[in-house]
């Protein structure tokens, strides 16, 4: 009997041990599963956030607006004498007498007075360069105000500025031209002398975003024929052993290139009168692509870091006054649109194409979607994005307005 009790007791103790082991194992599995469940929730939350962001991104690119809400108005007493350029999420206004940087509310952040016969203004990232064409003055500004000012030894016929304030000017006298490079403080960095006999006349110049490269378009006259060449310069280590820093060039046939541009730091577009040529230039230039199927007269060009576009004139046999066409930097056409209104200004931001007429205006995305169309009650000088969702600056002769785009159901017919 005692043996049976002892055996029963041993069995009971063994059973308790097994229960403890089972309970311990169960608790361990539960503890191990918690991080897995937590990780799963984290993944789900990230996916939902990405889907939400993607949906918001897609909505902003496809949403159509046909009206706006007026947020604020600022009077412009001198606006009839001013020109405007988009800058730093707002704009600069300038004239022969000075330049002013306006914030998003239309208030002056800084202003600078000068006297110029023909001011040329170029904006690149945070920097604004102002030169007096056929004069000798150059001013450099950033968001804080004036950075420097120089007087050139010869008359200025062209200007460009890079993202960090490096700027280049083309100077001319009676027998030769000079391309001079300066840092933002006005220190001379490079001098390139050219003659019409050797190189031709420089039609245009462009600096890369980082200011280390430059491209120029030259035209020469041979008998009764005009010939065009493209010259590429490198101011870094690659070009230091080359004469005048010249690292490459191209002879063009059958076209004249009045404008060249670095679309981004490594891609050049030569805008010819009947063709556009693209070049890659990390250090030295190489041919990349060409657009030469322009069958109609080109009215305007526009571009950003990824695309170039044109407005071609329509013909009497067609319904459209103009055709808008957009190409990538390989020369492939992305889309085209018919425009049936007279416009005064067209330009591109990194996200949009903004077209301003006397009163009629359009905004297209680079996916070809119409974002905004509206007939203003009076003539508009410019429309500038502020960087805030759907908020824009509308410039009239006498006022500057901040608006927010909206959709009105009463006007249900969508313009294409």
């Amino acid at each position: 009997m005692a043996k049976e009790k002892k055996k029963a007791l041993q069995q009971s103790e063994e059973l308790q041990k097994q229960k403890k082991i089972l309970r311990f194992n169960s608790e361990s599995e539960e503890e191990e599963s918690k991080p897995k469940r937590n990780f799963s929730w984290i993944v789900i939350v990230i996916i939902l956030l990405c889907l939400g962001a993607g949906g918001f991104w897609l909505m902003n690119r496809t949403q159509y607006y046909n009206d706006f809400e007026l947020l604020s108005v600022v009077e412009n007493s001198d606006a009839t004498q001013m020109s405007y350029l988009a800058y730093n999420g707002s704009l600069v206004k300038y004239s022969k007498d000075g330049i002013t940087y306006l914030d998003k509310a239309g208030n002056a952040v800084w202003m600078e007075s000068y006297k110029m016969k023909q001011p040329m203004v170029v904006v690149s990232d945070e920097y604004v360069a102002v030169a007096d064409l056929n004069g000798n003055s150059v001013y450099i500004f950033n968001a804080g105000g004036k950075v420097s000012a120089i007087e050139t030894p010869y008359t200025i016929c062209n200007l460009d500025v890079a993202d960090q304030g490096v700027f280049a000017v083309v100077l001319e006298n009676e027998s030769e031209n000079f391309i001079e490079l300066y840092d933002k403080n006005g220190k001379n960095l490079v001098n390139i002398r050219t003659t019409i006999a050797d190189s031709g006349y420089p039609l245009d110049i462009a600096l890369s975003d980082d200011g280390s490269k430059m491209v120029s378009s030259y035209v020469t006259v041979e008998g009764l024929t005009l010939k065009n060449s493209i010259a590429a310069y490198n101011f870094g280590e690659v070009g230091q052993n080359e004469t005048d820093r010249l690292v490459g060039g191209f002879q063009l046939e059958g076209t004249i290139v009045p404008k060249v541009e670095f679309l981004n730091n490594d891609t050049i577009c030569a805008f010819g009168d009947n063709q556009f040529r693209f070049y890659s230039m990390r250090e030295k230039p190489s041919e990349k692509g060409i657009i030469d199927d322009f069958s109609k007269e080109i009215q305007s060009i526009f571009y950003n870091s990824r695309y170039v576009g044109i407005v071609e004139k329509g013909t009497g046999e067609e319904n459209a006054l103009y055709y808008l066409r957009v190409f990538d930097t390989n020369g492939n056409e992305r889309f085209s649109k018919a425009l049936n209104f007279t416009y005064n200004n067209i330009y591109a931001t990194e996200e949009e194409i903004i077209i301003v007429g006397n009163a009629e205006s359009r905004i297209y995305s680079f996916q070809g979607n119409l974002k905004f169309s509206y007939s203003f009650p009076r003539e508009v000088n410019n429309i500038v994005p502020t960087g805030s969702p759907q908020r824009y600056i509308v410039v009239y002769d006498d006022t500057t307005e901040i608006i927010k785009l909206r959709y009105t159901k009463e006007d249900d017919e969508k313009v294409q």
Side-chain angles (χ1 to χ4, degrees):
M1 186 72 177
K3 289 183 179 180
E4 291 178 358
K5 287 183 177 180
K6 185 176 181 180
K7 186 177 181 180
L9 183 61
Q10 289 175 345
Q11 290 176 344
S12 176
E13 290 176 352
E14 188 65 28
L15 183 61
Q16 292 298 324
K17 287 181 181 179
Q18 291 177 0
K19 288 182 177 180
K20 288 181 180 179
I21 292 172
L22 289 172
R23 186 165 57 249
F24 176 79
N25 289 338
S26 176
E27 289 174 353
S28 299
E29 291 175 2
E30 185 177 350
E31 290 297 324
E32 289 178 0
S33 67
K34 284 182 179 179
K36 293 181 180 179
R37 287 200 297 269
N38 290 339
F39 180 75
S40 298
W41 276 110
I42 292 172
V43 171
I44 291 171
V45 169
I46 291 173
I47 291 173
L48 290 174
L49 288 174
C50 290
L51 289 173
F56 179 76
W57 178 87
L58 185 62
M59 181 188 70
N60 279 334
R61 291 177 181 270
T62 59
Q63 182 65 50
Y64 168 67
Y65 303 91
N66 60 4
D67 201 355
F68 63 85
E69 174 188 356
L70 181 61
L71 301 180
S72 65
V73 180
V74 177
E75 298 294 329
N76 299 329
S77 58
D78 57 355
T80 55
Q81 304 173 6
M82 308 299 289
S83 298
Y84 295 82
L85 282 176
Y87 169 66
N88 201 32
S90 185
L91 50 84
V92 290
K93 63 178 184 177
Y94 65 95
S95 69
K96 296 178 179 180
D97 299 316
I99 184 170
T100 302
Y101 168 38
L102 303 175
D103 63 19
K104 295 179 182 180
N107 302 308
V109 178
W110 52 254
M111 62 181 65
E112 180 75 20
S113 297
Y114 52 66
K115 291 292 182 182
M116 294 187 181
K117 296 178 180 179
Q118 188 179 353
M120 177 181 182
V121 180
V122 182
V123 173
S124 183
D125 197 43
E126 189 184 350
Y127 284 87
V128 180
V130 186
D132 188 11
L133 295 184
N134 299 315
N136 304 93
S137 300
V138 182
Y139 289 77
I140 303 298
F141 302 91
N142 62 17
K146 186 173 77 171
V147 177
S148 66
I150 67 166
E151 292 292 317
T152 60
Y154 304 107
T155 57
I156 301 166
C157 57
N158 213 329
L159 166 75
D160 200 20
V161 65
D163 286 356
Q164 75 292 88
V166 170
F167 64 99
V169 289
V170 179
L171 309 176
E172 63 180 353
N173 61 19
E174 294 180 358
S175 60
E176 55 193 358
N177 297 98
F178 300 88
I179 300 175
E180 297 192 346
L181 191 73
Y182 297 83
D183 69 12
K184 65 181 179 181
N185 297 312
K187 179 183 177 182
N188 186 260
L189 302 175
V190 177
N191 291 282
I192 301 170
R193 175 182 171 272
T194 66
T195 63
I196 294 177
D198 294 334
S199 304
Y201 183 82
L203 293 179
D204 195 26
I205 58 168
L207 286 172
S208 61
D209 294 345
D210 62 7
S212 69
K213 296 169 285 190
M214 186 179 73
V215 63
S216 180
S217 173
Y218 292 96
V219 64
T220 57
V221 180
E222 295 185 7
L224 299 176
T225 304
L226 291 176
K227 292 192 174 182
N228 212 131
S229 63
I230 301 297
Y233 304 86
N234 189 308
F235 304 122
E237 293 182 2
V238 173
Q240 64 183 354
N241 296 322
E242 304 290 342
T243 302
D244 288 335
R245 303 282 184 148
L246 182 65
V247 294
F250 304 91
Q251 295 293 328
L252 305 182
E253 298 291 339
T255 190
I256 299 298
V257 179
K259 182 171 181 58
V260 289
E261 189 67 38
F262 271 90
L263 304 180
N264 53 56
N265 201 58
D266 301 321
T267 305
I268 299 164
C269 185
F271 294 92
D273 56 354
N274 59 8
Q275 58 183 248
F276 295 171
R277 290 182 175 268
F278 297 96
Y279 304 95
S280 293
M281 188 180 174
R282 291 188 179 276
E283 300 294 347
K284 295 183 178 182
S286 61
E287 293 180 309
K288 183 179 181 181
I290 185 172
I291 309 170
D292 58 3
D293 63 340
F294 303 140
S295 58
K296 306 177 184 67
E297 182 182 351
I298 298 175
Q299 300 293 298
S300 304
I301 64 170
F302 56 91
Y303 51 86
N304 65 12
S305 65
R306 296 169 295 159
Y307 304 102
V308 300
I310 63 168
V311 178
E312 290 181 320
K313 190 174 182 180
T315 65
E317 300 175 356
E318 301 164 328
N319 294 325
L321 290 174
Y322 307 100
Y323 286 96
L324 181 150
R325 301 172 67 193
V326 172
F327 305 83
D328 63 26
T329 57
N330 292 313
N332 301 312
E333 185 166 0
R334 301 303 297 264
F335 69 87
S336 64
K337 296 285 182 181
L339 300 179
N340 288 304
F341 67 98
T342 302
Y343 71 97
N344 297 326
N345 185 26
I346 180 169
Y347 71 98
T349 69
E350 282 302 298
E351 304 297 334
E352 300 170 334
I353 305 161
I354 298 177
I355 311 170
V356 180
N358 291 331
E360 194 80 14
S361 296
R362 300 277 190 278
I363 299 176
Y364 289 94
S365 74
F366 275 97
Q367 287 67 46
N369 299 313
L370 179 63
K371 179 177 179 178
F372 177 65
S373 65
Y374 191 79
S375 295
F376 290 86
R378 54 196 177 119
E379 184 173 346
V380 174
N381 292 333
N382 209 347
I383 298 175
V384 179
T386 65
S388 299
Q390 321 318 335
R391 295 194 180 199
Y392 292 80
I393 301 170
V394 180
V395 181
Y396 301 97
D397 277 344
D398 56 353
T399 59
T400 299
E401 297 180 350
I402 309 298
I403 67 170
K404 184 176 182 179
L405 306 188
R406 68 181 184 185
Y407 177 73
T408 303
K409 290 184 178 181
E410 285 76 6
D411 186 6
D412 230 6
E413 184 178 352
K414 181 177 177 179
V415 181
Q416 296 300 318

